[in-house]
Amino acid sequence: MGHREKLAGAGAAFALVIGYILVRCLDIGLFVTTDEPFWLGRSANFFRAMRQGDYQYTFQMAHPGVTTMWAGAASFLWSFPEYADRVTQNLTFVYGIDGVLRDLGQDPMEMLIRARFAKIVVSSLAFAASLFYLNRLFGRAVMVLTGALIALDPFVSGLDSLLHVDGLFAIFAFAAILALADAARANRHAIAPWIVAGVLAFAWMARATGLVLMLGAAVASIAPLFHRRNRIGPLSLRHRLESPAFSLVLWLIGGIAASFLLLPALWVDPFGTFDAIWDWSTQAANEGHERPIFFRGEVISGDPGWLFYPVTLIWRLTPIVLFGALALLILAIPRTTRRLIPDAHRRSLLLIAGFGVAYLMAMSFGAKKFDRYILPVYPIVMLMAGYGSVLLARAVACRRPNLRRFALPAVTAAVLLGQTVSLFAATPYRLDYFSPLLGGLDRAQSHIQVGWGEGAQEAVDFIVQDADGADVLVQVSSVWPVFSYLAPTSIRFERFGLGTPAGWYETDYVVSGIQEWQRDLSPSYRTMRENGFEPVHVVEVHGVPFFMVYAPRQLPLPAGLIDASSCDASFGGGLRLVQVIGREGSVDFYFLTTGELPENLEISIALQQEVDSTPRSAWSAWQPAGIGYVSRVSVPDPRSGESPELSNYELLIQVRNVASGELLPVDSTTLGSDGVTASTNSECFYQP
């Protein structure tokens, strides 16, 4: 290869790496997935443990996600190194890292964005290594096309933009299997290629399933025995046995050394750390996800079956990748085109494709399945597509010599254009790319699980605007950091549910997401649908509803919540007591309006017990809600000093018309009554 060609190859690789980074930085702060707060918290723990020398605490999760935590720790070192001085021990509740950062004067979203960028930079190093090996194994054209397909793929780039393990694991695993293919074709006495391939095998420190690389290493070490021709004669049986063993030892030395270097917990407790990784991985594989998933239009608990990964793979691949991979399969069969594939290329492709198939099958044995779990298969399919595209150009050039000069540039342009169109068709939410050949996102929502926090920013923006600066309480069907990282402090997020009248009244907004209603994980959404309530706002992604925002306090109380109430006292024929909650310094009463009432009412209570009683409280005024709606009135707690729990008392309740001063008559079937006074029982009380 001439100097000019080397420069051209290096320039192409550099451009691909820059493109890889830029694509992954698109809309980097637009949303937060449900898993990323875990990894930001674990990164904080990892950083603290490293800075303070508590190396045993660098092991945070059985994945084990080491490379992700290194990237996250780099963001703390970069922007908030004081964290390790101000936090003296690891967080036990890593999901609450956003509150810890806010208390320390830091914006958790800004910290997450920095951590994402650091992870993208780390990922780009593995991508650069992949390009190096692609060029060595298959030449510049395959390197350019494969690299472009990976860099521009919407689903792969979307996952690779997150502070998570799967994107980083996928690209490192790809680099590792390419390095194995390169080592397999090297001279049988070569040492460096096998050690380097082993070092890249630390991909398994991102996700423990990367141990499948050991199978690839075993095959790669044996493969040369089937095609190598020694210049001085055939290899003896001894050499045939020693060569694979020696190669495997070199590979393991590189992999184990890199693993020990990256995870300091192995320095102090290697056996305990490996046991924890193994135990969690086998448990997850056997038991599946703790919550149901949505697949083929059904809510499934446990293992969704062997079709899960092939089906999701087809849904996620772009048309260009599918066509390129099919081109390789078709052109590799006829003798006239098969001869265009050099033997060395064929062996390397078989090894790499074999690893992809083995990994997919190994993951299919596990009961816990998500589409991202087989992300290492995607770059391998893209390699097949890139090689198939180059093979198509060669086949055209052979059949039409007059097109020889234009075949490869034309195919390259078509591949780049097609993949770019797929990328920008999916922006800003690349995670929600689904093949247009199958109907895209609109059809995918009825067949497979979609959504991972995309659109939450729009939901938050609506609530901020609608609340007009007021403090509001929002309940969410998803985990709250999906929203809290994006929201001002005037919005308080809770998950106490809408299963009580008080819960209904106290909730200003409830937000339900597509993944929760797909998986039937949102009782709030179910309540809204069953009662025919319309959302006040709908967030759509590519025309598909992703979040629905409801305002419960503006809606009538559902009949199911009325029936579930343990209280049953009616005042004046139009006011029904439905719940009582004792809070610090006050007692809150929730009333349902069932008929016509005076405009203004007052309530007074006394607490009575055999050994302890209180004088009647002052009158507290409020305006009851419209018919079918709940209102709340807070009465100062008449107790003083140390007193028993409120539920130990009998509450004597009176309600009067402010205008006339008359007490409203009481009609009660379960509560004691003297005509104008209702007395509660302990079942009326709910702990806040």
Side-chain angles (χ1 to χ4, degrees), residues 485-497:
Y485 277 59
L486 308 166
T489 55
S490 60
I491 299 179
R492 181 163 62 95
F493 294 94
E494 296 283 356
R495 294 195 69 188
F496 52 73

Side-chain angles (χ1 to χ4, degrees), residues 93-142:
F93 180 55
V94 293
Y95 213 65
I97 182 63
D98 58 324
V100 175
L101 289 173
R102 285 194 179 95
D103 291 343
L104 295 173
Q106 301 295 313
D107 183 345
M109 190 64 207
E110 290 297 324
M111 186 64 71
L112 179 60
I113 290 172
R114 296 187 190 103
R116 284 173 169 175
F117 180 74
K119 200 223 74 168
I120 290 169
V121 171
V122 173
S123 182
S124 70
L125 298 177
F127 179 67
S130 300
L131 295 178
F132 171 78
Y133 284 112
L134 285 170
N135 190 43
R136 279 174 60 92
L137 289 167
F138 307 112
R140 190 172 71 197
V142 174

Side-chain angles (χ1 to χ4, degrees), residues 518-567:
Q518 275 188 319
R519 301 164 73 183
D520 196 23
L521 296 175
S522 177
S524 301
Y525 175 73
R526 196 182 313 124
T527 297
M528 297 300 179
R529 287 200 61 182
E530 290 173 353
N531 288 276
F533 296 145
E534 293 295 326
V536 293
H537 185 68
V538 178
V539 176
E540 293 186 348
V541 173
H542 304 304
V544 174
F546 261 52
F547 285 105
M548 294 190 182
V549 183
Y550 296 89
R553 193 181 299 166
Q554 302 173 22
L555 297 170
L557 188 67
L561 297 188
I562 302 172
D563 296 338
S565 173
S566 299
C567 298

Side-chain angles (χ1 to χ4, degrees), residues 73-378:
S75 71
F76 279 87
L77 180 63
W78 166 22
S79 60
F80 188 37
E82 299 86 0
Y83 179 88
D85 300 322
R86 299 175 67 179
V87 178
T88 58
Q89 60 185 6
N90 274 8
L91 306 177
T92 55
F93 180 55
V94 293
Y95 213 65
I97 182 63
D98 58 324
V100 175
L101 289 173
R102 285 194 179 95
D103 291 343
L104 295 173
Q106 301 295 313
D107 183 345
M109 190 64 207
E110 290 297 324
M111 186 64 71
L112 179 60
I113 290 172
R114 296 187 190 103
R116 284 173 169 175
F117 180 74
K119 200 223 74 168
I120 290 169
V121 171
V122 173
S123 182
S124 70
L125 298 177
F127 179 67
S130 300
L131 295 178
F132 171 78
Y133 284 112
L134 285 170
N135 190 43
R136 279 174 60 92
L137 289 167
F138 307 112
R140 190 172 71 197
V142 174
M143 177 198 74
V144 169
L145 287 176
T146 303
L149 288 173
I150 295 172
L152 298 172
D153 187 80
F155 179 58
V156 171
S157 68
L159 281 172
D160 207 19
S161 297
L162 307 175
L163 183 66
H164 206 266
V165 296
D166 295 301
L168 204 53
F169 169 54
I171 194 62
F172 268 104
F174 185 58
I177 194 64
L178 290 175
L180 277 172
D182 180 67
R185 73 169 198 171
N187 183 278
R188 70 186 180 93
H189 297 296
I191 294 177
W194 284 99
I195 294 180
V196 172
V199 169
L200 286 172
F202 74 80
W204 60 46
M205 298 306 288
R207 194 177 266 286
T209 52
L211 289 171
V212 177
L213 282 165
M214 295 183 69
L215 176 61
V219 174
S221 64
I222 296 172
L225 299 179
F226 296 98
H227 64 265
R228 184 178 291 141
R229 295 291 183 270
N230 195 295
R231 292 182 180 179
I232 60 174
L235 292 174
S236 67
L237 177 61
R238 176 184 172 185
H239 286 143
R240 287 179 179 272
L241 293 176
E242 287 180 349
S243 181
F246 182 63
S247 300
L248 274 176
V249 168
L250 293 174
W251 183 82
L252 285 171
I253 288 173
I256 294 173
S259 300
F260 269 81
L261 178 65
L262 287 170
L263 183 56
L266 293 174
W267 307 349
V268 294
D269 186 17
F271 297 109
T273 302
F274 280 125
D275 282 345
I277 294 172
W278 177 258
D279 290 345
W280 184 89
S281 300
T282 53
Q283 180 181 353
N286 292 328
E287 297 180 2
H289 202 278
E290 58 271 17
R291 298 195 293 177
I293 65 171
F294 182 78
F295 179 59
R296 299 178 73 186
E298 298 179 2
V299 179
I300 299 174
S301 297
D303 190 350
W306 282 75
L307 284 177
F308 182 84
Y309 286 127
V311 168
T312 57
L313 183 66
I314 296 299
W315 270 104
R316 292 293 195 173
L317 292 175
T318 64
I320 285 294
V321 171
L322 280 173
F323 293 156
L326 286 173
L328 177 60
L329 288 175
I330 294 171
L331 294 174
I333 297 174
R335 182 177 300 176
T336 54
T337 51
R338 189 175 59 202
R339 60 183 176 82
L340 298 175
I341 306 175
D343 289 342
H345 289 192
R346 185 179 296 108
R347 289 190 293 269
S348 295
L349 288 171
L350 286 173
L351 174 64
I352 297 165
F355 169 75
V357 172
Y359 188 81
L360 190 149
M361 293 181 65
M363 294 302 294
S364 295
F365 278 106
K368 188 174 183 179
K369 293 181 173 73
F370 281 125
D371 53 7
R372 64 182 185 272
Y373 287 1
I374 60 158
L375 203 63
V377 175
Y378 286 75

